Amino acid sequence: MKVFTSKLCTTLHTPEFEFHGGAQSQHYECPERREAILKYLESHSDSFEVTEHVEDFGYEPIKRVHKQGFLNYLETAYDEWILEGGHPNGVMPSTIPHYRLARLGGQTPTNSLTNAGEYCFDMSAVITKDTFKAAWNAAQVTLTATKDLVRVADQYEKGLAAGTTVSREAPPGLYALVRPPGHHAQSDLCGGYCFLNNVGIAAQWLIDRPELRQKDGQPKKVAIIDIDFHHGNGTQELFYKTSNPLYASLHGRDAYPHFTGAATERGEGEGLGFSINVPLPRSTSDDEYVEALEKLIQEHIIPYDADYIIISLGVDTFKDDPIAGFLVTSEAYPRIGNAIRKIGLPTLFVQEGGYCVEKLGLNVGGILQGFLGKVAA
């Protein structure tokens, strides 16, 4: 499996702290996460080919899912924050415009202190001096991997047609090892460690490509499966009113971000029925999680008849994750990867959460090895 990454995913965006559970704490979305995963991948070079080749796709794919005002804010927030006396750790909102706050005068933000609340919904998405560069880099790495997904998918389909590829039991897979993650980032809102929605940007890029259109002129279909412990409110918001891509999420019930991800959230208008949410209790075991995933695949992913699968790959489902977690053990992750492999479609894995650094490489590697039809070692 080819792995796309960049050393900038380690060196950029390094906040010293966040606020968690009412207290100042370490910033769990740390550079060591990428290093732990990379160490595992490089120790299994028979399965993984790591490349740091990154193409620059520019601003256009990002602007297809994010609003210009929000992008302007991300790019300039830190400098303005420092000029106005903000703490050098990074930009954090001190006041967030709650939906019941009576904004009777229609006030709009006038400085970085108020913009932070307007464009961020929590205190974990700390904007440092190089956060925008880091998020930009993560998006470009993901797009580079997405472009290669098109190439290997084309080879795969030609092989099936020619009979040189035996069956759909060994579909091509690629992995974008990026940070910061993206699935909590909405069209004009950051939060949950996320600033630009890497998976959303990738999905929209595939849908937009004119050369990928079907014979009837329709775009290729994309199915996003979010297996992070936390609901991907951002990805859902981006595509809530459209039927392509399909968004499906398995996540913790009553967990962060707390106000999204109910089973009743099914989309609107054209998108009705194309947002699928499966909230699970924290007591969910290995067998229960895999069964829920397999049911989701059989009832929603297979019937959707997608051309590409994109996986929001979070392993904060792990039982020892410091800020999340079901009762899922490391032994479950190869089974999860195998369930995704059985869909039989070209698949891009994009890194999201997972904060137990000690087991992060093993758990991410387990999913990827399972997709390859191997057992993680």
Side-chain angles (χ1 to χ4, degrees), residues 15-44:
E16 294 179 8
F17 62 85
E18 62 175 293
F19 287 92
H20 185 75
Q24 182 175 314
S25 70
Q26 69 184 83
H27 197 265
Y28 287 100
E29 202 292 285
C30 59
E32 290 77 15
R33 298 176 62 246
R34 185 244 182 191
E35 294 302 294
I37 297 169
L38 191 61
K39 181 179 179 180
Y40 176 91
L41 299 175
E42 291 177 340
S43 70
H44 292 76

PDB file of all heavy atoms in Angstrom, residues 15-44:
ATOM      1  N   PRO A  15       0.745  23.177  19.111  1.00  0.00           N
ATOM      2  CA  PRO A  15       0.296  23.898  20.310  1.00  0.00           C
ATOM      3  C   PRO A  15       0.823  23.231  21.583  1.00  0.00           C
ATOM      4  O   PRO A  15       0.973  22.009  21.639  1.00  0.00           O
ATOM      5  CB  PRO A  15      -1.234  23.781  20.233  1.00  0.00           C
ATOM      6  CG  PRO A  15      -1.530  23.458  18.806  1.00  0.00           C
ATOM      7  CD  PRO A  15      -0.371  22.650  18.328  1.00  0.00           C
ATOM      8  N   GLU A  16       1.101  24.053  22.587  1.00  0.00           N
ATOM      9  CA  GLU A  16       1.622  23.511  23.837  1.00  0.00           C
ATOM     10  C   GLU A  16       0.517  22.946  24.719  1.00  0.00           C
ATOM     11  O   GLU A  16       0.760  22.019  25.496  1.00  0.00           O
ATOM     12  CB  GLU A  16       2.386  24.595  24.596  1.00  0.00           C
ATOM     13  CG  GLU A  16       3.657  25.068  23.878  1.00  0.00           C
ATOM     14  CD  GLU A  16       4.374  26.153  24.652  1.00  0.00           C
ATOM     15  OE1 GLU A  16       3.969  26.417  25.807  1.00  0.00           O
ATOM     16  OE2 GLU A  16       5.331  26.726  24.113  1.00  0.00           O
ATOM     17  N   PHE A  17      -0.673  23.509  24.630  1.00  0.00           N
ATOM     18  CA  PHE A  17      -1.737  23.042  25.510  1.00  0.00           C
ATOM     19  C   PHE A  17      -3.102  23.331  24.913  1.00  0.00           C
ATOM     20  O   PHE A  17      -3.245  24.086  23.959  1.00  0.00           O
ATOM     21  CB  PHE A  17      -1.627  23.696  26.901  1.00  0.00           C
ATOM     22  CG  PHE A  17      -1.759  25.196  26.910  1.00  0.00           C
ATOM     23  CD1 PHE A  17      -3.012  25.816  26.947  1.00  0.00           C
ATOM     24  CD2 PHE A  17      -0.636  26.006  26.904  1.00  0.00           C
ATOM     25  CE1 PHE A  17      -3.136  27.202  26.960  1.00  0.00           C
ATOM     26  CE2 PHE A  17      -0.745  27.393  26.913  1.00  0.00           C
ATOM     27  CZ  PHE A  17      -2.000  27.994  26.947  1.00  0.00           C
ATOM     28  N   GLU A  18      -4.113  22.684  25.493  1.00  0.00           N
ATOM     29  CA  GLU A  18      -5.517  22.932  25.197  1.00  0.00           C
ATOM     30  C   GLU A  18      -6.268  22.883  26.521  1.00  0.00           C
ATOM     31  O   GLU A  18      -5.654  22.677  27.585  1.00  0.00           O
ATOM     32  CB  GLU A  18      -6.074  21.865  24.248  1.00  0.00           C
ATOM     33  CG  GLU A  18      -6.022  20.448  24.829  1.00  0.00           C
ATOM     34  CD  GLU A  18      -6.672  19.409  23.942  1.00  0.00           C
ATOM     35  OE1 GLU A  18      -7.907  19.491  23.781  1.00  0.00           O
ATOM     36  OE2 GLU A  18      -5.954  18.511  23.441  1.00  0.00           O
ATOM     37  N   PHE A  19      -7.562  23.062  26.487  1.00  0.00           N
ATOM     38  CA  PHE A  19      -8.378  22.898  27.680  1.00  0.00           C
ATOM     39  C   PHE A  19      -9.291  21.699  27.470  1.00  0.00           C
ATOM     40  O   PHE A  19     -10.025  21.621  26.483  1.00  0.00           O
ATOM     41  CB  PHE A  19      -9.188  24.162  27.978  1.00  0.00           C
ATOM     42  CG  PHE A  19      -8.331  25.276  28.509  1.00  0.00           C
ATOM     43  CD1 PHE A  19      -7.759  26.209  27.659  1.00  0.00           C
ATOM     44  CD2 PHE A  19      -8.087  25.369  29.872  1.00  0.00           C
ATOM     45  CE1 PHE A  19      -6.956  27.227  28.149  1.00  0.00           C
ATOM     46  CE2 PHE A  19      -7.286  26.387  30.377  1.00  0.00           C
ATOM     47  CZ  PHE A  19      -6.723  27.319  29.513  1.00  0.00           C
ATOM     48  N   HIS A  20      -9.207  20.761  28.409  1.00  0.00           N
ATOM     49  CA  HIS A  20      -9.972  19.514  28.290  1.00  0.00           C
ATOM     50  C   HIS A  20     -10.582  19.201  29.653  1.00  0.00           C
ATOM     51  O   HIS A  20      -9.877  19.166  30.664  1.00  0.00           O
ATOM     52  CB  HIS A  20      -9.065  18.371  27.835  1.00  0.00           C
ATOM     53  CG  HIS A  20      -9.780  17.088  27.583  1.00  0.00           C
ATOM     54  ND1 HIS A  20     -10.560  16.885  26.463  1.00  0.00           N
ATOM     55  CD2 HIS A  20      -9.853  15.945  28.296  1.00  0.00           C
ATOM     56  CE1 HIS A  20     -11.071  15.671  26.505  1.00  0.00           C
ATOM     57  NE2 HIS A  20     -10.656  15.076  27.611  1.00  0.00           N
ATOM     58  N   GLY A  21     -11.880  18.994  29.678  1.00  0.00           N
ATOM     59  CA  GLY A  21     -12.547  18.697  30.930  1.00  0.00           C
ATOM     60  C   GLY A  21     -12.439  19.807  31.954  1.00  0.00           C
ATOM     61  O   GLY A  21     -12.423  19.558  33.160  1.00  0.00           O
ATOM     62  N   GLY A  22     -12.339  21.045  31.471  1.00  0.00           N
ATOM     63  CA  GLY A  22     -12.276  22.194  32.365  1.00  0.00           C
ATOM     64  C   GLY A  22     -10.896  22.535  32.867  1.00  0.00           C
ATOM     65  O   GLY A  22     -10.734  23.498  33.642  1.00  0.00           O
ATOM     66  N   ALA A  23      -9.891  21.778  32.447  1.00  0.00           N
ATOM     67  CA  ALA A  23      -8.532  22.023  32.922  1.00  0.00           C
ATOM     68  C   ALA A  23      -7.570  22.172  31.748  1.00  0.00           C
ATOM     69  O   ALA A  23      -7.796  21.617  30.676  1.00  0.00           O
ATOM     70  CB  ALA A  23      -8.072  20.873  33.813  1.00  0.00           C
ATOM     71  N   GLN A  24      -6.498  22.926  31.981  1.00  0.00           N
ATOM     72  CA  GLN A  24      -5.448  23.006  30.976  1.00  0.00           C
ATOM     73  C   GLN A  24      -4.753  21.654  30.896  1.00  0.00           C
ATOM     74  O   GLN A  24      -4.433  21.046  31.910  1.00  0.00           O
ATOM     75  CB  GLN A  24      -4.442  24.095  31.357  1.00  0.00           C
ATOM     76  CG  GLN A  24      -3.333  24.269  30.329  1.00  0.00           C
ATOM     77  CD  GLN A  24      -2.419  25.434  30.662  1.00  0.00           C
ATOM     78  OE1 GLN A  24      -2.891  26.521  30.991  1.00  0.00           O
ATOM     79  NE2 GLN A  24      -1.117  25.211  30.598  1.00  0.00           N
ATOM     80  N   SER A  25      -4.540  21.161  29.671  1.00  0.00           N
ATOM     81  CA  SER A  25      -3.916  19.849  29.500  1.00  0.00           C
ATOM     82  C   SER A  25      -2.969  19.885  28.310  1.00  0.00           C
ATOM     83  O   SER A  25      -2.909  20.862  27.564  1.00  0.00           O
ATOM     84  CB  SER A  25      -4.989  18.783  29.273  1.00  0.00           C
ATOM     85  OG  SER A  25      -5.592  18.937  27.994  1.00  0.00           O
ATOM     86  N   GLN A  26      -2.234  18.820  28.153  1.00  0.00           N
ATOM     87  CA  GLN A  26      -1.411  18.677  26.965  1.00  0.00           C
ATOM     88  C   GLN A  26      -2.302  18.721  25.731  1.00  0.00           C
ATOM     89  O   GLN A  26      -3.498  18.429  25.800  1.00  0.00           O
ATOM     90  CB  GLN A  26      -0.679  17.348  27.005  1.00  0.00           C
ATOM     91  CG  GLN A  26      -1.608  16.138  26.846  1.00  0.00           C
ATOM     92  CD  GLN A  26      -0.906  14.808  26.986  1.00  0.00           C
ATOM     93  OE1 GLN A  26      -0.684  14.326  28.085  1.00  0.00           O
ATOM     94  NE2 GLN A  26      -0.556  14.216  25.855  1.00  0.00           N
ATOM     95  N   HIS A  27      -1.725  19.077  24.600  1.00  0.00           N
ATOM     96  CA  HIS A  27      -2.482  19.067  23.353  1.00  0.00           C
ATOM     97  C   HIS A  27      -2.373  17.665  22.766  1.00  0.00           C
ATOM     98  O   HIS A  27      -1.328  17.254  22.268  1.00  0.00           O
ATOM     99  CB  HIS A  27      -1.930  20.111  22.374  1.00  0.00           C
ATOM    100  CG  HIS A  27      -2.862  20.441  21.264  1.00  0.00           C
ATOM    101  ND1 HIS A  27      -2.788  19.830  20.039  1.00  0.00           N
ATOM    102  CD2 HIS A  27      -3.910  21.296  21.199  1.00  0.00           C
ATOM    103  CE1 HIS A  27      -3.745  20.310  19.252  1.00  0.00           C
ATOM    104  NE2 HIS A  27      -4.432  21.196  19.924  1.00  0.00           N
ATOM    105  N   TYR A  28      -3.474  16.921  22.832  1.00  0.00           N
ATOM    106  CA  TYR A  28      -3.430  15.501  22.477  1.00  0.00           C
ATOM    107  C   TYR A  28      -3.187  15.269  20.989  1.00  0.00           C
ATOM    108  O   TYR A  28      -2.665  14.218  20.610  1.00  0.00           O
ATOM    109  CB  TYR A  28      -4.730  14.813  22.907  1.00  0.00           C
ATOM    110  CG  TYR A  28      -4.833  14.623  24.400  1.00  0.00           C
ATOM    111  CD1 TYR A  28      -5.579  15.490  25.193  1.00  0.00           C
ATOM    112  CD2 TYR A  28      -4.178  13.570  25.027  1.00  0.00           C
ATOM    113  CE1 TYR A  28      -5.671  15.305  26.565  1.00  0.00           C
ATOM    114  CE2 TYR A  28      -4.261  13.372  26.396  1.00  0.00           C
ATOM    115  CZ  TYR A  28      -5.010  14.249  27.164  1.00  0.00           C
ATOM    116  OH  TYR A  28      -5.085  14.070  28.525  1.00  0.00           O
ATOM    117  N   GLU A  29      -3.568  16.218  20.149  1.00  0.00           N
ATOM    118  CA  GLU A  29      -3.330  16.057  18.706  1.00  0.00           C
ATOM    119  C   GLU A  29      -1.903  16.550  18.433  1.00  0.00           C
ATOM    120  O   GLU A  29      -1.682  17.642  17.928  1.00  0.00           O
ATOM    121  CB  GLU A  29      -4.376  16.852  17.915  1.00  0.00           C
ATOM    122  CG  GLU A  29      -4.574  16.356  16.481  1.00  0.00           C
ATOM    123  CD  GLU A  29      -3.377  16.605  15.599  1.00  0.00           C
ATOM    124  OE1 GLU A  29      -3.168  17.769  15.196  1.00  0.00           O
ATOM    125  OE2 GLU A  29      -2.633  15.624  15.331  1.00  0.00           O
ATOM    126  N   CYS A  30      -0.943  15.707  18.755  1.00  0.00           N
ATOM    127  CA  CYS A  30       0.470  16.104  18.799  1.00  0.00           C
ATOM    128  C   CYS A  30       1.271  15.497  17.642  1.00  0.00           C
ATOM    129  O   CYS A  30       0.858  14.509  17.031  1.00  0.00           O
ATOM    130  CB  CYS A  30       1.069  15.666  20.137  1.00  0.00           C
ATOM    131  SG  CYS A  30       0.960  13.876  20.427  1.00  0.00           S
ATOM    132  N   PRO A  31       2.445  16.066  17.339  1.00  0.00           N
ATOM    133  CA  PRO A  31       3.284  15.542  16.254  1.00  0.00           C
ATOM    134  C   PRO A  31       3.713  14.091  16.463  1.00  0.00           C
ATOM    135  O   PRO A  31       3.949  13.368  15.485  1.00  0.00           O
ATOM    136  CB  PRO A  31       4.493  16.475  16.273  1.00  0.00           C
ATOM    137  CG  PRO A  31       4.008  17.734  16.897  1.00  0.00           C
ATOM    138  CD  PRO A  31       2.991  17.308  17.909  1.00  0.00           C
ATOM    139  N   GLU A  32       3.809  13.661  17.728  1.00  0.00           N
ATOM    140  CA  GLU A  32       4.219  12.289  18.009  1.00  0.00           C
ATOM    141  C   GLU A  32       3.255  11.269  17.426  1.00  0.00           C
ATOM    142  O   GLU A  32       3.632  10.106  17.199  1.00  0.00           O
ATOM    143  CB  GLU A  32       4.347  12.085  19.518  1.00  0.00           C
ATOM    144  CG  GLU A  32       5.521  12.811  20.164  1.00  0.00           C
ATOM    145  CD  GLU A  32       5.285  14.298  20.359  1.00  0.00           C
ATOM    146  OE1 GLU A  32       4.106  14.740  20.252  1.00  0.00           O
ATOM    147  OE2 GLU A  32       6.267  15.037  20.618  1.00  0.00           O
ATOM    148  N   ARG A  33       2.024  11.677  17.168  1.00  0.00           N
ATOM    149  CA  ARG A  33       1.051  10.767  16.572  1.00  0.00           C
ATOM    150  C   ARG A  33       1.521  10.308  15.191  1.00  0.00           C
ATOM    151  O   ARG A  33       1.530   9.117  14.878  1.00  0.00           O
ATOM    152  CB  ARG A  33      -0.317  11.443  16.451  1.00  0.00           C
ATOM    153  CG  ARG A  33      -0.934  11.850  17.770  1.00  0.00           C
ATOM    154  CD  ARG A  33      -2.249  12.594  17.568  1.00  0.00           C
ATOM    155  NE  ARG A  33      -3.242  11.762  16.915  1.00  0.00           N
ATOM    156  CZ  ARG A  33      -3.737  11.991  15.702  1.00  0.00           C
ATOM    157  NH1 ARG A  33      -3.354  13.053  15.011  1.00  0.00           N
ATOM    158  NH2 ARG A  33      -4.629  11.185  15.183  1.00  0.00           N
ATOM    159  N   ARG A  34       1.901  11.266  14.379  1.00  0.00           N
ATOM    160  CA  ARG A  34       2.361  10.917  13.027  1.00  0.00           C
ATOM    161  C   ARG A  34       3.643  10.081  13.087  1.00  0.00           C
ATOM    162  O   ARG A  34       3.808   9.111  12.335  1.00  0.00           O
ATOM    163  CB  ARG A  34       2.573  12.197  12.225  1.00  0.00           C
ATOM    164  CG  ARG A  34       2.933  11.970  10.755  1.00  0.00           C
ATOM    165  CD  ARG A  34       4.313  12.477  10.444  1.00  0.00           C
ATOM    166  NE  ARG A  34       4.679  12.325   9.050  1.00  0.00           N
ATOM    167  CZ  ARG A  34       5.908  12.510   8.590  1.00  0.00           C
ATOM    168  NH1 ARG A  34       6.872  12.888   9.409  1.00  0.00           N
ATOM    169  NH2 ARG A  34       6.175  12.325   7.318  1.00  0.00           N
ATOM    170  N   GLU A  35       4.540  10.422  14.002  1.00  0.00           N
ATOM    171  CA  GLU A  35       5.794   9.697  14.110  1.00  0.00           C
ATOM    172  C   GLU A  35       5.567   8.244  14.532  1.00  0.00           C
ATOM    173  O   GLU A  35       6.239   7.336  14.047  1.00  0.00           O
ATOM    174  CB  GLU A  35       6.714  10.396  15.116  1.00  0.00           C
ATOM    175  CG  GLU A  35       7.175  11.779  14.654  1.00  0.00           C
ATOM    176  CD  GLU A  35       7.914  11.720  13.337  1.00  0.00           C
ATOM    177  OE1 GLU A  35       9.008  11.123  13.292  1.00  0.00           O
ATOM    178  OE2 GLU A  35       7.377  12.248  12.334  1.00  0.00           O
ATOM    179  N   ALA A  36       4.602   8.015  15.434  1.00  0.00           N
ATOM    180  CA  ALA A  36       4.315   6.660  15.884  1.00  0.00           C
ATOM    181  C   ALA A  36       3.766   5.800  14.745  1.00  0.00           C
ATOM    182  O   ALA A  36       4.139   4.625  14.590  1.00  0.00           O
ATOM    183  CB  ALA A  36       3.316   6.697  17.040  1.00  0.00           C
ATOM    184  N   ILE A  37       2.879   6.381  13.947  1.00  0.00           N
ATOM    185  CA  ILE A  37       2.321   5.640  12.809  1.00  0.00           C
ATOM    186  C   ILE A  37       3.398   5.379  11.772  1.00  0.00           C
ATOM    187  O   ILE A  37       3.528   4.266  11.241  1.00  0.00           O
ATOM    188  CB  ILE A  37       1.147   6.420  12.193  1.00  0.00           C
ATOM    189  CG1 ILE A  37       0.009   6.576  13.209  1.00  0.00           C
ATOM    190  CG2 ILE A  37       0.641   5.723  10.924  1.00  0.00           C
ATOM    191  CD1 ILE A  37      -1.077   7.549  12.787  1.00  0.00           C
ATOM    192  N   LEU A  38       4.209   6.391  11.496  1.00  0.00           N
ATOM    193  CA  LEU A  38       5.265   6.257  10.484  1.00  0.00           C
ATOM    194  C   LEU A  38       6.269   5.184  10.889  1.00  0.00           C
ATOM    195  O   LEU A  38       6.734   4.403  10.046  1.00  0.00           O
ATOM    196  CB  LEU A  38       5.963   7.602  10.301  1.00  0.00           C
ATOM    197  CG  LEU A  38       6.914   7.722   9.113  1.00  0.00           C
ATOM    198  CD1 LEU A  38       6.179   7.502   7.800  1.00  0.00           C
ATOM    199  CD2 LEU A  38       7.583   9.094   9.117  1.00  0.00           C
ATOM    200  N   LYS A  39       6.587   5.118  12.168  1.00  0.00           N
ATOM    201  CA  LYS A  39       7.530   4.102  12.656  1.00  0.00           C
ATOM    202  C   LYS A  39       6.998   2.706  12.364  1.00  0.00           C
ATOM    203  O   LYS A  39       7.747   1.818  11.931  1.00  0.00           O
ATOM    204  CB  LYS A  39       7.759   4.291  14.155  1.00  0.00           C
ATOM    205  CG  LYS A  39       8.754   3.304  14.754  1.00  0.00           C
ATOM    206  CD  LYS A  39       8.964   3.567  16.240  1.00  0.00           C
ATOM    207  CE  LYS A  39       9.944   2.563  16.842  1.00  0.00           C
ATOM    208  NZ  LYS A  39      10.161   2.815  18.298  1.00  0.00           N
ATOM    209  N   TYR A  40       5.705   2.503  12.605  1.00  0.00           N
ATOM    210  CA  TYR A  40       5.115   1.194  12.312  1.00  0.00           C
ATOM    211  C   TYR A  40       5.184   0.891  10.815  1.00  0.00           C
ATOM    212  O   TYR A  40       5.582  -0.209  10.403  1.00  0.00           O
ATOM    213  CB  TYR A  40       3.658   1.136  12.782  1.00  0.00           C
ATOM    214  CG  TYR A  40       2.986  -0.158  12.410  1.00  0.00           C
ATOM    215  CD1 TYR A  40       2.999  -1.239  13.281  1.00  0.00           C
ATOM    216  CD2 TYR A  40       2.366  -0.321  11.166  1.00  0.00           C
ATOM    217  CE1 TYR A  40       2.404  -2.447  12.927  1.00  0.00           C
ATOM    218  CE2 TYR A  40       1.782  -1.524  10.813  1.00  0.00           C
ATOM    219  CZ  TYR A  40       1.808  -2.582  11.692  1.00  0.00           C
ATOM    220  OH  TYR A  40       1.244  -3.777  11.324  1.00  0.00           O
ATOM    221  N   LEU A  41       4.800   1.844   9.999  1.00  0.00           N
ATOM    222  CA  LEU A  41       4.765   1.620   8.553  1.00  0.00           C
ATOM    223  C   LEU A  41       6.156   1.302   8.013  1.00  0.00           C
ATOM    224  O   LEU A  41       6.322   0.401   7.179  1.00  0.00           O
ATOM    225  CB  LEU A  41       4.201   2.856   7.854  1.00  0.00           C
ATOM    226  CG  LEU A  41       2.768   3.268   8.217  1.00  0.00           C
ATOM    227  CD1 LEU A  41       2.410   4.571   7.536  1.00  0.00           C
ATOM    228  CD2 LEU A  41       1.774   2.169   7.859  1.00  0.00           C
ATOM    229  N   GLU A  42       7.155   2.038   8.479  1.00  0.00           N
ATOM    230  CA  GLU A  42       8.517   1.826   7.982  1.00  0.00           C
ATOM    231  C   GLU A  42       9.101   0.505   8.466  1.00  0.00           C
ATOM    232  O   GLU A  42       9.993  -0.059   7.816  1.00  0.00           O
ATOM    233  CB  GLU A  42       9.405   2.995   8.410  1.00  0.00           C
ATOM    234  CG  GLU A  42       9.054   4.290   7.691  1.00  0.00           C
ATOM    235  CD  GLU A  42       9.873   5.483   8.141  1.00  0.00           C
ATOM    236  OE1 GLU A  42      10.444   5.431   9.257  1.00  0.00           O
ATOM    237  OE2 GLU A  42       9.953   6.472   7.382  1.00  0.00           O
ATOM    238  N   SER A  43       8.580  -0.010   9.580  1.00  0.00           N
ATOM    239  CA  SER A  43       9.045  -1.315  10.065  1.00  0.00           C
ATOM    240  C   SER A  43       8.341  -2.468   9.351  1.00  0.00           C
ATOM    241  O   SER A  43       8.672  -3.628   9.585  1.00  0.00           O
ATOM    242  CB  SER A  43       8.833  -1.421  11.579  1.00  0.00           C
ATOM    243  OG  SER A  43       7.445  -1.507  11.889  1.00  0.00           O
ATOM    244  N   HIS A  44       7.368  -2.133   8.501  1.00  0.00           N
ATOM    245  CA  HIS A  44       6.649  -3.138   7.707  1.00  0.00           C
ATOM    246  C   HIS A  44       6.733  -2.740   6.229  1.00  0.00           C
ATOM    247  O   HIS A  44       5.730  -2.611   5.539  1.00  0.00           O
ATOM    248  CB  HIS A  44       5.186  -3.244   8.159  1.00  0.00           C
ATOM    249  CG  HIS A  44       5.028  -3.816   9.530  1.00  0.00           C
ATOM    250  ND1 HIS A  44       5.290  -3.103  10.679  1.00  0.00           N
ATOM    251  CD2 HIS A  44       4.644  -5.067   9.942  1.00  0.00           C
ATOM    252  CE1 HIS A  44       5.063  -3.867  11.738  1.00  0.00           C
ATOM    253  NE2 HIS A  44       4.677  -5.054  11.325  1.00  0.00           N
TER     254      HIS A  44
END
